[in-house]
Amino acid sequence: MSHQSSLEAERRAISEHGRAMLQQGLTTGTGGNISARNGDRIAISPSGMPYDEITPDDVPLVDLQGEPLSGERVPSSERRMHATILRERDDVGAVVHTHSPYATTFASLNEPVAPSHYLIAFVGDEIPVSGYATYGTADLADLALDALGTEYDACLLKNHGTIAVGETVEAAFERALMVEYCARIHYQARNIGEPSLLPDEEIARLRSTFEHYGQSASGESEAVAPAPEAAELLDEREAVAALGREMLDQGLTKGTGGNVSARDGDRVAINPSGVPYEDVSPDTVPIVTLDGDQVAGELAASSETPMHTMIYRERDDVGGVVHTHSPYASTFASLDESIPASHYLIAFAGDEIPVAGYEEPGSAELGRRAVDALGDDYNACLLKNHGTIAVGETAEAAFETSLMVEYCARIHYQARNIGEPSLLPDEEIDHLTDRFADYGQTGGN
């Protein structure tokens, strides 16, 4: 059997990402489905089968009309919708359909998700809503295709769920994560205020930037610089690799979002751009200078290198920087609202968590905004319509502050939901800031 007829890689990706869809909370039970095209054949999730039981051999094949071709399992009831999109959109090689809860909330409101977070540009200038039709019907397929058109890479399905598309299953799945993340941020911001929305021209600029995000389009990267020597910034590279995985495990980001760096003298170890955190090992962590020039590492350094290196140049006390997309803090970032001292742990950051003005991600201008917001007094700030920055003497200390930022943001958000938070006075925050300066074993606290 030929590779095209067996679609081994596509069936394996569907099996793996079906489990990931469940683990990431993008669906419950057996809801949702995934497909991938190779030539004139489509591999698609089997109907009604638990994701943790699906092996590549269980994934059936259908043609471009959605008609079954091979496989012992019955193909998904949504095969018409998948086949229609894959047939009509030449740029699409995979489709992920989820029932993710925040995005589906807007689908049930029949309301598009507006651009209150920059990651919406992975989809378009908003996340539009298709009309309603019964699941599994040709009518739903047509409505989904109409909502996507040629310019959107995801849409909501009214009273139903979401659709995300991409060149590969991996790309479509990453986009499905971004849909749910943006929907959550917008939902939470709407709960307590009026989100600040990005203008159309900024979304258009971001869409262009995202076309070249990460490593090469093929998933392989040409060598950017020689591999680092075994002992070169080894502790820092180990910290970057470990904390990237921890950032994901602790819910401080989704997908490949965010970045971590650690400094030793005039060299900085920083995670590679667009590489899944579980795939980053110490020997794949790039090294850059304080001016942002990459001097070691075969993978391209994070797109946010200019922001990290500008912070290091301006703050001699900083040895680690952690940038996250943590959901509660990012909610306040999308409201363009600082987080006041409604919990004593805010003293890890300062007397509040201020907001840096919006600039394009990855730009030197964003670095300048972050430096200005941090000043000399703050160890964390929010990035408007974006996420958070935390700094510390080490990457581990910066990560601890990132956890405190998200915790304080959550407490303040939840308090705002049901009342008026009580704020600590400035003199108490000053006292706490002094105590936290020596916090831990050496400080005796």
Side-chain angles (χ1 to χ4, degrees):
M1 184 177 288
S2 70
H3 173 72
Q4 179 172 322
S5 61
S6 65
L7 274 69
E8 294 175 3
E10 289 80 4
R11 291 158 63 203
R12 183 171 59 253
I14 288 169
S15 171
E16 292 172 353
H17 286 83
R19 290 191 293 273
M21 186 162 64
L22 197 63
Q23 292 163 359
Q24 292 282 352
L26 297 184
T27 194
T28 56
T30 60
N33 24 76
I34 303 173
S35 66
R37 173 180 178 174
N38 187 327
D40 59 359
R41 294 170 186 254
I42 298 168
I44 190 166
S45 307
S47 179
M49 188 173 180
Y51 287 108
D52 55 2
E53 297 178 9
I54 298 173
T55 68
D57 289 341
D58 291 313
V59 177
L61 303 182
V62 300
D63 64 19
L64 293 181
Q65 304 303 316
E67 296 300 320
L69 289 174
S70 64
E72 296 181 2
R73 303 291 183 180
V74 175
S76 169
S77 59
E78 296 290 9
R79 60 186 179 273
R80 293 180 184 85
M81 179 168 63
H82 288 255
T84 298
I85 295 168
L86 290 166
R87 188 177 66 245
E88 299 297 329
R89 285 275 299 258
D90 292 338
D91 60 320
V92 172
V95 177
V96 173
H97 166 43
T98 82
H99 294 169
S100 56
Y102 287 99
T104 303
T105 297
F106 286 98
S108 291
L109 287 166
N110 193 25
E111 181 181 326
V113 179
S116 56
H117 194 282
Y118 87 98
L119 286 175
I120 208 166
F122 271 102
V123 171
D125 57 3
E126 64 177 5
I127 306 171
V129 191
S130 78
Y132 177 81
T134 303
Y135 80 95
T137 62
D139 288 341
L140 179 58
D142 291 339
L143 289 169
L145 186 63
D146 287 345
L148 291 170
T150 58
E151 55 196 58
Y152 291 102
D153 292 320
C155 71
L156 310 179
L157 305 175
K158 183 184 176 189
N159 303 107
H160 187 150
T162 80
I163 283 286
V165 303
E167 292 185 8
T168 63
V169 171
E170 291 78 7
F173 187 82
E174 176 90 356
R175 193 162 277 123
L177 288 173
M178 295 305 101
V179 166
E180 178 65 357
Y181 174 78
C182 289
R184 178 178 180 178
I185 298 305
H186 195 61
Y187 173 88
Q188 292 180 169
R190 283 270 300 275
N191 252 348
I192 61 171
E194 188 63 37
S196 172
L197 303 183
L198 294 167
D200 291 345
E201 56 270 22
E202 177 59 16
I203 295 294
R205 183 168 61 172
L206 289 167
R207 290 281 281 168
S208 177
T209 299
F210 287 160
E211 289 178 4
H212 309 290
Y213 175 73
Q215 307 298 321
S216 68
S218 66
E220 300 177 356
S221 179
E222 296 181 1
V224 176
E229 296 180 6
E232 188 176 8
L233 272 69
L234 179 58
D235 290 345
E236 288 74 18
R237 284 154 45 211
E238 288 178 344
V240 167
L243 292 173
R245 292 190 294 273
E246 185 71 9
M247 185 163 62
L248 199 62
D249 292 342
Q250 292 282 354
L252 298 183
T253 194
K254 287 286 188 181
T256 60
N259 24 76
V260 181
S261 68
R263 170 184 180 175
D264 182 9
D266 60 357
R267 293 288 188 267
V268 176
I270 189 166
N271 58 278
S273 179
V275 177
Y277 288 108
E278 60 268 21
D279 295 338
V280 177
S281 59
D283 60 332
T284 63
V285 172
I287 297 174
V288 300
T289 68
L290 289 181
D291 291 323
D293 297 325
Q294 187 163 339
V295 294
E298 297 181 357
L299 297 174
S302 169
S303 60
E304 294 292 5
T305 295
M307 178 167 62
H308 287 249
T309 54
M310 187 174 291
I311 292 170
Y312 288 124
R313 292 196 304 271
E314 298 290 333
R315 289 275 298 261
D316 292 337
D317 60 319
V318 170
V321 177
V322 175
H323 165 45
T324 81
H325 293 169
S326 54
Y328 287 100
S330 295
T331 296
F332 287 99
S334 287
L335 287 164
D336 192 18
E337 184 178 321
S338 61
I339 301 170
S342 55
H343 193 282
Y344 85 99
L345 287 174
I346 207 165
F348 269 91
D351 58 3
E352 65 173 3
I353 305 170
V355 189
Y358 179 83
E359 294 290 349
E360 183 180 6
S363 65
E365 291 80 9
L366 178 59
R368 173 49 57 191
R369 291 277 197 174
V371 164
D372 288 346
L374 291 169
D376 296 324
D377 300 324
Y378 293 100
N379 290 324
C381 70
L382 308 179
L383 305 174
K384 183 183 175 187
N385 301 109
H386 188 149
T388 79
I389 280 286
V391 302
E393 291 186 9
T394 63
E396 290 82 0
F399 187 82
E400 178 80 0
T401 298
S402 288
L403 290 172
M404 296 304 102
V405 167
E406 179 63 359
Y407 176 78
C408 290
R410 179 174 184 175
I411 297 305
H412 192 63
Y413 173 85
Q414 292 176 169
R416 282 271 299 274
N417 253 340
I418 59 173
E420 188 63 36
S422 172
L423 303 184
L424 293 167
D426 291 345
E427 55 270 22
E428 175 60 11
I429 294 296
D430 290 342
H431 172 64
L432 290 168
T433 301
D434 289 340
R435 289 194 65 182
F436 284 155
D438 299 314
Y439 179 75
Q441 299 300 314
T442 58
N445 290 308

